[in-house]
Amino acid sequence: DSPSPRPPETKSVTLRNGVKMPMLAAGTWQYNDSVAEETVIAAVHAGFVHIDTAYDYHNQVGVGRGIQKSGKARDSLFITSKVPGCGLQNTTAKTAEQCKTETDDKIALDLQQLNLSYLDMVLVHFPPCPGDDGSAESPSKCSCYGPQNGCSHPQSCDMIKAQWSVLTDAYKKKQIRAIGVSNYCSACLECLTGSEVF
């Protein structure tokens, strides 16, 4: 038997705070826990060092088991997870304070489900949907999706700032090495003007 070829070096990008993020990630969306576990192990053995998951993928326990069983040291992997925007995926959006509390809870749950002491990156997955209770099955089923008014609602900026402050606090506590947003339009990003960015 000849040895397996060595996987190619993964290219990375240096983020604003100096953290190096591998540009190619193995995604885990739409997998159940057992498939996610197997996929993470196979991906790591194939040379992937960046694993992408999210609270609303409902498979982070399996992803965490795959990370543990991969045989790779934790510090040699880059793990990205996502927390729901307020009003989406079991996170209510009645008040900015409630949004803040539930975002903090979701970060703790991400760490617990993945069985990790820190995450390399956490993104807010979608803009908030003020007034929604988080019961919609997916972002496309929430009240903001059709009219695309998640960022223009009068309470949106307060919720965007609330979630960003939670990510900032987790970053400062070294629970997260890098923070960001996903699926944000320019109006949502404008809400973060003047906020700390790392």
Side-chain angles (χ1 to χ4, degrees):
D1 287 327
S2 62
S4 299
R6 185 175 170 191
E9 181 87 16
T10 303
K11 291 184 179 183
S12 64
V13 61
T14 302
L15 303 176
R16 179 184 181 126
N17 65 354
V19 169
K20 291 191 181 299
M21 180 183 74
M23 292 175 69
L24 187 62
T28 60
W29 185 43
Q30 296 186 329
Y31 296 151
N32 64 28
D33 277 322
S34 60
V35 173
E37 178 181 344
E38 294 167 11
T39 299
V40 167
I41 294 168
V44 170
H45 290 170
F48 283 85
V49 294
H50 187 173
I51 306 297
D52 178 79
T53 188
Y55 164 81
D56 65 304
Y57 293 176
H58 307 291
N59 62 12
Q60 291 193 129
V61 170
V63 171
R65 284 194 308 254
I67 292 166
Q68 302 304 316
K69 292 179 180 179
S70 73
K72 284 284 193 182
R74 170 64 185 95
D75 63 358
S76 68
L77 297 172
F78 192 99
I79 311 299
T80 296
S81 188
K82 302 170 206 76
V83 294
C86 293
L88 307 169
Q89 296 129 345
N90 299 316
T91 305
T92 60
K94 299 298 181 186
T95 68
E97 196 56 41
Q98 191 174 17
C99 174
K100 194 172 183 177
T101 299
E102 292 191 21
T103 301
D104 193 45
D105 293 346
K106 294 298 186 283
I107 292 171
L109 190 57
D110 284 347
L111 290 167
Q112 177 189 359
Q113 289 178 343
L114 291 162
N115 195 24
L116 298 174
S117 60
Y118 71 94
L119 287 158
D120 296 287
M121 177 176 279
V122 172
L123 305 173
V124 178
H125 208 167
F126 288 93
C129 191
D132 277 22
D133 63 4
S135 63
E137 292 175 22
S138 73
S140 65
K141 306 236 188 266
C142 74
S143 69
C144 299
Y145 188 81
Q148 297 184 349
N149 64 357
C151 294
S152 60
H153 188 283
Q155 290 179 296
S156 290
C157 274
D158 290 341
M159 291 186 181
I160 289 168
K161 289 175 185 176
Q163 286 199 283
W164 189 256
S165 73
V166 172
L167 267 63
T168 299
D169 290 346
Y171 174 85
K172 289 177 180 178
K173 291 186 228 171
K174 302 196 183 309
Q175 294 175 308
I176 304 170
R177 295 179 59 226
I179 59 178
V181 296
S182 175
N183 299 300
Y184 269 41
C185 65
S186 59
C188 287
L189 292 172
E190 285 173 15
C191 293
L192 293 174
T193 299
S195 298
E196 286 184 282
V197 179
F198 305 102

